[in-house]
Amino acid sequence: MPLTLDTPTPDDLPTLVEIWEAAVRATHHFLPESDLQVIKPLLREQYFPAVQLTCARDEAGRILGFLGHAEDRVEMLFVDPHSHGQGVGRRLMQHAIDALGATRVDVNEQNPQAVGFYQHLGFVITDRSRLDGGGRPFPILHMALSR
């Protein structure tokens, strides 16, 4: 599938929030609804402004996924569940590695599909934190590119 990568505009941010929510609901079964509702408004208020955002668009210009990058770290990667398994996440990650110099990523231990995805791209687990960045009891695996 041909994809175009670009920087989302402020008008695209509601779509990014929708993709985030759909992806989290599809993959983060361990996350209680109450936590999801706490995190959701923080996306636009704190998380998006703290990263360089890149989105992947299909031929019609629809956003299928997005990545947030800061320094050498991928801080977020979310793909619309309808586009899972179609190369969107891989394309975004290759861009982050090749063009943005990303070599590190953190991933929820309770999301084995994401752990396997990053391992397939050459990341290895280097450390583990028993709490997530918000102090919640969701262990985080710290991963680094091994190639």
Side-chain angles (χ1 to χ4, degrees):
M1 151 187 344
L3 295 172
T4 302
L5 302 184
D6 65 20
T7 301
T9 67
D11 290 342
D12 292 326
L13 296 182
T15 301
L16 300 190
V17 173
E18 289 172 11
I19 290 171
W20 171 85
E21 184 171 2
V24 167
R25 289 187 185 282
T27 60
H28 292 59
H29 305 291
F30 56 90
L31 190 66
E33 181 68 25
S34 59
D35 283 359
L36 191 143
Q37 294 307 319
V38 167
I39 296 168
K40 188 175 176 179
L42 297 177
L43 291 169
R44 289 184 72 164
E45 296 167 10
Q46 294 179 18
Y47 301 150
F48 289 166
V51 297
Q52 175 183 341
L53 290 168
T54 302
C55 64
R57 298 178 192 267
D58 66 10
E59 291 174 313
R62 289 181 305 241
I63 299 173
L64 304 180
F66 70 94
L67 177 138
H69 167 267
E71 298 177 12
D72 66 344
R73 178 181 299 279
V74 172
E75 297 287 353
M76 58 184 77
L77 173 63
F78 294 97
V79 175
D80 184 313
H82 295 104
S83 298
H84 283 183
Q86 297 179 28
V88 176
R90 174 183 285 277
R91 175 76 189 280
L92 284 163
M93 283 301 296
Q94 282 306 136
H95 172 74
I97 293 165
D98 297 340
L100 303 175
T103 59
R104 297 184 300 152
V105 65
D106 290 344
V107 62
N108 289 99
E109 183 178 67
Q110 295 158 296
N111 186 352
Q113 182 179 1
V115 174
F117 169 77
Y118 292 120
Q119 288 173 325
H120 185 73
L121 293 177
F123 286 82
V124 296
I125 298 167
T126 58
D127 201 3
R128 178 183 185 271
S129 299
R130 79 183 168 80
L131 303 176
D132 71 7
R136 292 176 294 268
F138 306 118
I140 298 294
L141 298 176
H142 307 285
M143 302 181 80
L145 194 59
S146 67
R147 49 180 154 134

